[in-house]
Amino acid sequence: MLLQIQFSNAQTITASGAATASTNVWDTEAAASNIGPGTPIYVVCRVHTAFTTASVGDTLIADLEQCATSGGTYVDLLKSPTFTVGQLVAGFDILTGTIPAGTNLRYLRFNYNYASGSGFTAGAISAFPTLAAPPLDYS
């Protein structure tokens, strides 16, 4: 199986005080897709372009979310820690992990939550599923 979806492809995130949904939503085409068991499907949410801001207190959280309907209320499946603008450099993985096993809802997307500060002046994210396990970081 070859996955050919990107939730975000160098998507600019500059809103302040708001959440920004990923450009693309993955429609699994099944009400109870249960895509977690079997071959693991990983998700990677990576900084594509370094974030900048006028305020050192700016922070970001990324969530992988699911929903039963395309326009409904999404709920978290995976949630990143809170990262400061100084951590959000190009190539930094905000969130990596496997889609949890269990009965997943039909629609999946990422949501980027501007957590605090005055607003990003630049920054972009790429997020995608993959069958290749992301490298481990033991730093």
Side-chain angles (χ1 to χ4, degrees), residues 13-75:
I13 310 295
T14 57
S16 62
T20 302
S22 58
T23 304
N24 300 311
V25 174
W26 181 6
D27 180 354
T28 65
E29 300 183 7
S33 61
N34 200 21
I35 59 176
T39 301
I41 299 174
Y42 299 90
V43 289
V44 176
C45 179
R46 182 171 291 151
V47 176
H48 183 86
T49 304
F51 281 71
T52 59
T53 183
S55 166
V56 294
D58 293 295
T59 58
L60 183 78
I61 300 168
D63 307 315
L64 176 66
E65 300 178 325
Q66 65 177 347
C67 187
T69 60
S70 64
T73 302
Y74 282 78
V75 295

Side-chain angles (χ1 to χ4, degrees), residues 40-114:
I41 299 174
Y42 299 90
V43 289
V44 176
C45 179
R46 182 171 291 151
V47 176
H48 183 86
T49 304
F51 281 71
T52 59
T53 183
S55 166
V56 294
D58 293 295
T59 58
L60 183 78
I61 300 168
D63 307 315
L64 176 66
E65 300 178 325
Q66 65 177 347
C67 187
T69 60
S70 64
T73 302
Y74 282 78
V75 295
D76 292 346
L77 270 175
L78 297 173
K79 187 177 190 91
S80 79
T82 302
F83 293 105
T84 64
V85 69
Q87 295 171 295
L88 299 172
V89 298
F92 178 74
D93 285 342
I94 298 169
L95 178 66
T96 59
T98 57
I99 295 177
T103 303
N104 304 113
L105 301 177
R106 179 173 174 169
Y107 297 92
L108 298 172
R109 73 173 186 189
F110 266 91
N111 199 35
Y112 311 112
N113 299 290
Y114 181 81

